[in-house]
Amino acid sequence: AQRVTQPEKLLSVFKGAPVELKCNYSYSGSPELFWYVQYSRQRLQLLLRHISRESIKGFTADLNKGETSFHLKKPFAQEEDSAMYYCALLTGNQFYFGTGTSLTVIP
Amino acid sequence: NAGVTQTPKFQVLKTGQSMTLQCAQDMNHNSMYWYRQDPGMGLRLIYYSASEGTTDKGEVPNGYNVSRLNKREFSLRLESAAPSQTSVYFCASSESGKSGYTFGSGTRLTVV
């Protein structure tokens, strides 16, 4: 069975500090992983995909197959980064979402 | 280009009432999905439609039915609402999973 685990429900960091949101997955096949973000009272938006190896809004995420992780990182957090972040595993055409991490950036 | 449009945005139902949540997308996507979002549980798939004319159960289908009316529209029906169905419901669509989902703005449903 596939599963996505986000161990932190809440995470607070100070503005300018580095931030890392953890995501671990369990999947027997070759994983495709994504991060989605949901700002307050807004719809979920795709943040980044591991296959694109892109950096969006200063965030990056590296797939580590050995540790089965796909942690989201940003070197300097900004207040506008405060949001709910969901890690998601794609199997077929379906996503399995983690339970989310609520990030608060303290001014 | 509206993307994915959900109606209504808010709804309060009494236990036992029925209602249909509407979803439409204008991106010519093949696949459409209904999720519910609950605190501490993330997003859970209720039903999905991989293409027009097909629907399949997701992780939590009990108490719901869906209709893929055409390529654009995918509705979710609660026949007899229960308090456990109080949630925020999101519709999503995609051309292919690899491109990610486009989500609607959600429907906040309260069943009293």
Side-chain angles (χ1 to χ4, degrees), chain A residues 38 42-44 86, chain B residues 4 6 21 23 33-37 43-44 46 76 88-92 103-107:
Chain A
Q38 185 180 28
Q42 294 186 26
R43 67 187 72 195
L44 282 87
Y86 290 96
Chain B
V4 178
Q6 287 183 240
L21 282 65
C23 176
Y33 309 83
W34 276 105
Y35 283 85
R36 58 178 290 173
Q37 182 186 41
L43 282 86
R44 292 180 292 168
I46 305 171
L76 178 72
V88 180
Y89 291 85
F90 285 98
C91 178
F103 281 89
S105 57
T107 296

Side-chain angles (χ1 to χ4, degrees), chain B residues 27-71:
Chain B
M27 296 169 288
N28 203 36
H29 286 169
N30 286 317
S31 302
M32 297 185 74
Y33 309 83
W34 276 105
Y35 283 85
R36 58 178 290 173
Q37 182 186 41
D38 301 292
M41 305 194 75
L43 282 86
R44 292 180 292 168
L45 182 64
I46 305 171
Y47 270 94
Y48 68 99
S49 170
S51 62
E52 185 179 357
T54 69
T55 60
D56 286 285
K57 295 179 180 179
E59 183 183 357
V60 288
N62 291 344
Y64 306 95
N65 283 301
V66 290
S67 295
R68 184 74 182 266
L69 304 170
N70 47 55
K71 193 170 185 178

Side-chain angles (χ1 to χ4, degrees), chain A:
Chain A
Q2 46 272 357
R3 180 172 294 180
V4 177
T5 303
Q6 293 180 251
E8 303 144 327
K9 288 188 176 181
L10 303 171
L11 182 64
S12 295
V13 300
F14 285 101
K15 178 182 175 180
V19 61
E20 180 180 70
L21 291 86
K22 291 183 168 51
C23 172
N24 289 91
Y25 67 90
S26 174
Y27 182 54
S28 56
S30 182
E32 294 192 55
L33 288 145
F34 297 67
W35 277 98
Y36 284 83
V37 61
Q38 185 180 28
Y39 300 103
S40 180
R41 299 278 179 165
Q42 294 186 26
R43 67 187 72 195
L44 282 87
Q45 306 170 37
L46 178 63
L47 182 61
L48 54 79
R49 302 169 278 187
H50 93 269
I51 56 174
S52 301
R53 303 185 68 80
E54 56 203 342
S55 174
I56 304 294
K57 299 183 179 181
F59 285 98
T60 59
D62 291 319
L63 178 61
N64 186 323
K65 292 185 178 181
E67 296 182 357
T68 60
S69 68
F70 187 57
H71 303 328
L72 184 68
K73 300 177 183 179
K74 185 170 183 176
F76 308 103
Q78 302 299 315
E79 290 178 65
E80 56 265 31
D81 296 329
S82 294
M84 192 75 166
Y85 291 81
Y86 290 96
C87 183
L89 169 69
L90 178 66
T91 64
N93 276 332
Q94 291 183 50
F95 278 102
Y96 292 87
F97 289 85
T99 52
T101 297
S102 177
L103 173 67
T104 300
V105 179
I106 304 165

